[in-house]
Amino acid sequence: MTKIISLNTIGIDKTIDEVVKSLKAGALVVFPSDTVYGLLVDARNEQAVSKLIEFKNRAPGKAISVFVSDFKMLREFGVVADDKKDLLLSVLPGPFTVILQSKNRVDKRLQSEKGTLGIRLTQFQPVQDLVNRYGSPLTATSANLGGKSPHYSIKSLLNQLPKFKKNMLDLIVDASSLPRNKPSTILDFTTENIKILRHGDVILGKKDEFISNSPKETRAIASFLYRKSQQLAADKPVVFLIKGDLGAGKTEFTRGVAKEFGIEKIVSPTFVIYYEYDVKSSSPGEADKRKFIHADFYNIQDTEEFDNLKMERYLQLNNFMICEWGERLGEFYKIFKEKAVVYVLEIDHVGEKTRKITFAETK
C-alpha cells in the first residue's frame, strides 16, 4: 500500500524522518527536487535498486545518477581529477549532474558501462537535508516510466501509472506543483575537455562563465549564482555589481535574484537610483532587519552623488544589494569592498538572444 505524505503539511523535519526510515527498509520513494519529482532508493541497496530499475523499465547498462550531501561524500564515490577540481567547485552545489569515474562503492547497475557515475550536489535544501541525514548516496532519477515525460506534480505522475506500478511505490512525498525547470545540465568531467551532454536551465561555458539563450535561463543563472554567493560569503553582506550594455539583460538577471527573496515584481530604478525592499521572513521580527536593495547607476554623473546617496548604510549583515551599471561606483568601490563581499558580473551579447554571463569575486 503506497503511503502519501504532504511536505507542506507535516514540515521538512518530520518528512525527512519518515523518508529515512523508509529508505533504510529498502523502500522506493518519490521525492521533490530542484527540477522534477524524483525516485529515491539507497544507492548501495541491491534489492532497492532492482525495484527502481523494474519500476522505470530501465534498459540494462543505462546509468542512473545519485545525490550526495557534500564534496566529502562526492569524493568518496567519484574520482576528481586535480586539474578539474576548481571548475567542479565553481558549479557545485547547483543544477548540474557531473559525470566522474566511479570508485565502485554504489550498486554497479547505477554506473555506465565505462565505469562512470553521475553525481548531483544540489542547492535544493530538502534533498540536501535528506541525503545528509541518511549519510550515503541516494538515486537521482526522474519519477517517470522509461521514455515518458518527467513530472512536476504528484497528480500528473499517478495519472500516468498503471495500478501495478503505483503499488510498487512505497512512499510519495507531495510538495505540490514544482516550478517547470528543465532537468539538470549534465557535464562530463572524465574527458580531457569537459563536455556538455545535456543542456538544462543553467549552461556552463568556461570556469565562472555561463551561457543564457533566453530571459528564463538568465533568471535561472541569477538564482544559481545568488545561492552560490551565499555559500561563499562569511560574515559580510553580499553585493552584485552588474556590467552590460543596454538590453543585455541586467534587469532580467535582477528578477532572478529577487525571486530568491520572494519578490515577484521588480521596477527599474533608473530614475530614482535605487529601490529598497523589506524581505519577508518566517522568523518573527526579522523582516525589518533584512533588506534587498536594487540600484541602477546609469544616471550617476559624478562621485558626489554617491556621497549624497549614502548607500553604504545598507552594507549590513544579511542585506543583499544588486547594482546595475556597477562600474560607475568609482572611488566608492573601495568602501563597498571593505564592508561587503563584492561580485562583478558581466553580461555580454553573443547573439540576438544569447548572452555570456561571467561571475567573479573581486579581490
Side-chain angles (χ1 to χ4, degrees):
M1 181 70 177
T2 303
K3 183 176 182 179
I4 301 178
I5 59 176
S6 171
L7 186 152
N8 298 327
T9 300
I10 70 172
I12 186 63
D13 288 337
K14 289 184 178 179
T15 298
I16 289 178
D17 287 342
E18 187 80 24
V19 174
V20 168
K21 181 180 177 181
S22 297
L23 289 168
K24 286 184 176 180
L28 177 58
V29 178
V30 176
F31 199 82
S33 76
D34 54 337
T35 53
V36 297
Y37 275 95
L39 287 171
L40 308 183
V41 298
D42 185 330
R44 298 185 297 175
N45 184 321
E46 291 185 11
Q47 290 184 332
V49 172
S50 293
K51 190 172 186 178
L52 170 65
I53 292 172
E54 181 183 355
F55 177 89
K56 290 276 289 185
N57 298 329
R58 198 77 167 183
K62 193 169 184 181
I64 293 175
S65 300
V66 300
F67 284 119
V68 297
S69 60
D70 51 30
F71 284 103
K72 180 181 178 182
M73 187 182 290
L74 180 148
R75 293 189 184 98
E76 288 175 1
F77 291 88
V79 178
V80 180
D82 289 339
D83 61 337
K84 295 182 175 67
K85 179 181 176 182
D86 288 344
L87 182 56
L88 192 68
L89 290 170
S90 75
V91 299
L92 294 179
F96 299 92
T97 298
V98 297
I99 307 298
L100 301 175
Q101 197 65 37
S102 177
K103 290 187 176 179
N104 299 314
R105 293 176 180 172
V106 298
D107 189 299
K108 290 188 177 181
R109 290 170 293 175
L110 302 178
Q111 302 172 179
S112 74
E113 294 175 344
K114 297 179 180 179
T116 61
L117 179 66
I119 298 180
R120 288 218 62 201
L121 177 53
T122 175
Q123 294 172 320
F124 188 65
Q125 203 60 47
V127 169
Q128 285 300 92
D129 291 345
L130 173 60
V131 185
N132 185 58
R133 184 92 63 87
Y134 195 73
S136 64
L138 302 174
T139 55
T141 183
S142 55
N144 59 294
L145 303 180
K148 301 293 184 179
S149 299
H151 298 281
Y152 299 91
S153 73
I154 296 302
K155 181 180 179 181
S156 170
L157 169 64
L158 294 179
N159 285 341
Q160 183 195 77
L161 298 178
K163 185 176 180 179
F164 80 98
K165 289 289 187 181
K166 292 178 185 178
N167 291 337
M168 293 180 68
L169 300 172
D170 298 295
L171 177 63
I172 295 175
V173 176
D174 190 346
S176 301
S177 294
L178 304 179
R180 287 188 168 270
N181 298 324
K182 293 179 182 178
S184 60
T185 297
I186 300 178
L187 304 173
D188 189 347
F189 275 72
T190 66
T191 56
E192 184 176 352
N193 296 312
I194 294 169
K195 294 181 180 179
I196 300 177
L197 304 183
R198 181 179 72 194
H199 291 288
D201 281 325
V202 179
I203 302 172
L204 180 69
K206 299 176 182 178
K207 183 177 182 295
D208 298 325
E209 179 183 290
F210 303 86
I211 304 299
S212 169
N213 293 304
S214 70
K216 180 183 178 183
E217 289 183 7
T218 296
R219 294 191 297 270
I221 293 169
S223 173
F224 165 66
L225 292 178
Y226 164 74
R227 295 186 186 191
K228 175 68 69 175
S229 74
Q230 297 305 294
Q231 293 161 352
L232 298 175
D235 56 352
K236 289 185 177 183
V238 173
V239 176
F240 278 6
L241 302 181
I242 310 180
K243 300 179 180 180
D245 295 334
L246 289 168
K250 295 185 295 296
T251 301
E252 206 62 62
F253 185 96
T254 300
R255 289 191 179 102
V257 177
K259 194 169 182 180
E260 291 291 315
F261 290 86
I263 302 168
E264 296 292 338
K265 187 176 182 181
I266 283 290
V267 179
S268 178
T270 303
F271 298 105
V272 296
I273 308 302
Y274 71 90
Y275 282 115
E276 169 191 321
Y277 299 83
D278 289 327
V279 177
K280 295 180 180 179
S281 173
S282 56
S283 301
E286 191 178 283
D288 60 343
K289 296 180 181 179
R290 193 175 187 214
K291 297 183 183 296
F292 175 87
I293 300 92
H294 175 206
D296 186 326
F297 299 149
Y298 182 73
N299 286 320
I300 295 290
Q301 301 298 318
D302 55 55
T303 55
E304 289 184 4
E305 294 182 65
F306 282 115
D307 195 28
N308 293 331
L309 288 169
K310 299 188 182 303
M311 293 195 67
E312 62 271 19
R313 72 186 187 278
Y314 289 116
L315 301 178
Q316 300 178 27
L317 186 63
N318 296 324
N319 283 356
F320 181 89
M321 185 184 297
I322 187 164
C323 308
E324 299 182 35
W325 300 95
E327 64 269 31
R328 300 196 178 191
L329 262 179
E331 64 187 49
F332 277 82
Y333 166 76
K334 294 181 180 179
I335 297 175
F336 274 54
K337 183 58 184 167
E338 288 173 2
K339 296 186 175 183
V341 178
V342 180
Y343 293 91
V344 173
L345 298 105
E346 296 191 36
I347 306 178
D348 297 311
H349 288 83
V350 177
E352 184 178 347
K353 295 182 179 180
T354 304
R355 304 289 186 267
K356 180 177 72 174
I357 301 173
T358 307
F359 173 80
E361 181 181 356
T362 59
K363 303 298 182 181

